[in-house]
Amino acid sequence: MAPENLTGVMEFILTGVSDRPELQVPLFFVFLVIYGMTVVGNLGIITLTSVDSRLQTPMYFFLRHLAIINFGNSTVIAPKMLINFLVKKKNTFYYECATQMGGFLFFIVAEVFMLAVMAYDRYVAICNPLLYMVVVSRQVCLLLVSIAYSYGFSTAIVIASSVFSMSYCSSNIINHFYCDTVPLLALSCSDTYFPDTVAFISAATNLIFSVTTVTVSYFNIILSILRIHSSEGRKKAFSTCASHVMAVTMFYGTLLFMYLQPKTHHSLDSDKMASLFYTLVIPMLNPMIYSLRNKDMKEALKKFIMNRK
């Protein structure tokens, strides 16, 4: 990963969301609002689930870490993106680019794992409610979260180091608003078979594992709900996982759009639009999804505000 490998290319230029000059300032304010709402929403969830005694269950423990991941992922991307809207030269230095890629990979892989863990948590809560606090104990919660972060970190190190071991000796213009693997490898004058393979295997493994866990969990949840005789009981059971279903649908829908679209329709521009959604828009929407439909979160917020008066 030494700069000598770049054979003179010491920095990269990010094309950004749009290259139209008249859109730079309007887009700056749009994404400033999105990032501001992301920060407030996710820090709000982190604070409430940390201080309110009623929110000390495994479900809110995992939600807190999802909020940490969403906040981290947006913060890796948004500040540099916002600055680039206001400057003419949208450059990023070699190690800055490598750090951003590593940070993005760490948080996105951790989010994939965390959504699967949250699906398993809902499965245990609905299908085995009497054993819930035993199966999903404090030690198990800490173990699952530790695995998510450790796996995200190891994936980030392996992929980022393999990408930045390539030589970049022609164009240094990245067709993206952050340092991502595919547009960066497109600039390399080395054989990119190894980093391409590593990135593909990692993405496929993560997605298959997570989607399988979520699908199996919700298949069993649906069977369990159908066995509930009262409509009120079914409604209550479904409401406990409705927010997670919405979050999972948005997140996986975006990823599957990127990976399953035909190659004839695939382009870096479409990847860029999809990336905007799962790096900036979804982290903004998740706090709303998990808070607006949740009575405990609303009551915790009211209590928190009243205590500050």
Side-chain angles (χ1 to χ4, degrees):
M1 292 179 63
E4 288 79 13
N5 288 336
L6 295 175
T7 60
V9 178
M10 301 298 295
E11 65 180 19
F12 298 99
I13 307 297
L14 295 165
T15 60
V17 177
S18 172
D19 57 1
R20 295 175 61 180
E22 68 275 14
L23 293 180
Q24 301 305 301
V25 173
L27 285 174
F28 168 81
F29 285 108
V30 168
F31 287 104
L32 179 63
V33 170
I34 290 175
Y35 181 57
M37 293 175 66
T38 301
V39 171
V40 172
N42 285 289
L43 289 183
I45 286 180
I46 294 167
T47 302
L48 291 177
T49 55
S50 299
V51 302
D52 195 286
S53 58
R54 292 170 298 180
L55 304 182
Q56 302 304 309
T57 64
M59 180 177 75
Y60 294 109
F61 177 80
F62 294 132
L63 178 58
R64 182 192 314 154
H65 284 278
L66 180 65
I68 292 171
I69 290 167
N70 283 163
F71 172 75
N73 199 18
S74 291
T75 301
V76 166
I77 304 298
K80 181 67 176 179
M81 175 186 179
L82 291 171
I83 292 172
N84 284 343
F85 280 126
L86 304 179
V87 298
K88 288 187 176 180
K89 188 178 181 182
K90 300 174 173 56
N91 66 310
T92 179
F93 295 107
Y94 172 74
Y95 288 112
E96 181 184 9
C97 189
T99 301
Q100 186 182 57
M101 179 184 289
F104 162 73
L105 290 169
F106 168 69
F107 286 114
I108 202 69
V109 172
E111 182 170 3
V112 170
F113 194 95
M114 192 61 63
L115 288 172
V117 167
M118 293 174 76
Y120 171 73
D121 170 71
R122 292 299 82 207
Y123 157 72
V124 177
I126 293 173
C127 300
N128 297 287
L130 298 178
L131 297 175
Y132 179 56
M133 296 307 294
V134 176
V135 176
V136 192
S137 64
R138 179 71 175 176
Q139 290 77 14
V140 171
C141 290
L142 291 171
L143 175 63
L144 291 173
V145 168
S146 299
I147 291 173
Y149 289 134
S150 299
Y151 186 57
F153 181 76
S154 60
T155 301
I157 292 296
V158 171
I159 295 180
S161 60
S162 65
V163 170
F164 281 89
S165 65
M166 299 292 100
S167 296
Y168 299 89
C169 48
S170 53
S171 173
N172 67 336
I173 300 175
I174 302 174
N175 184 21
H176 219 306
F177 57 91
Y178 69 95
C179 292
D180 197 9
T181 55
V182 174
L184 190 57
L185 287 174
L187 304 179
S188 178
C189 51
S190 303
D191 181 1
T192 62
Y193 176 79
F194 178 73
D196 279 333
T197 303
V198 170
F200 175 79
I201 291 175
S202 174
T205 302
N206 295 339
L207 205 54
I208 291 171
F209 163 77
S210 187
V211 170
T212 301
T213 302
V214 171
T215 303
V216 172
S217 295
Y218 278 105
F219 177 77
N220 285 284
I221 287 172
I222 292 171
L223 291 180
S224 183
I225 290 176
L226 292 176
R227 286 195 290 267
I228 299 175
H229 297 295
S230 68
S231 58
E232 185 65 28
R234 288 195 296 268
K235 182 179 178 181
K236 184 178 180 180
F238 179 76
S239 66
T240 63
C241 54
S243 297
H244 184 255
V245 170
M246 293 175 62
V248 164
T249 301
M250 288 193 307
F251 186 76
Y252 290 128
T254 306
L255 292 182
L256 291 174
F257 166 79
M258 286 184 62
Y259 289 107
L260 297 184
Q261 61 179 310
K263 288 188 176 181
T264 53
H265 295 87
H266 191 86
S267 69
L268 290 177
D269 288 332
S270 64
D271 283 357
K272 190 189 299 186
M273 293 303 104
S275 297
L276 272 175
F277 200 73
Y278 67 72
T279 59
L280 297 172
V281 178
I282 288 179
M284 175 193 70
L285 295 177
N286 276 346
M288 300 179 192
I289 292 171
Y290 283 102
S291 300
L292 296 179
R293 296 178 56 87
N294 189 302
K295 291 182 180 180
D296 291 338
M297 290 293 293
K298 291 178 183 178
E299 292 176 4
L301 179 59
K302 290 178 183 178
K303 180 181 177 182
F304 182 79
I305 294 173
M306 291 298 294
N307 290 339
R308 292 297 178 272
K309 288 184 178 180

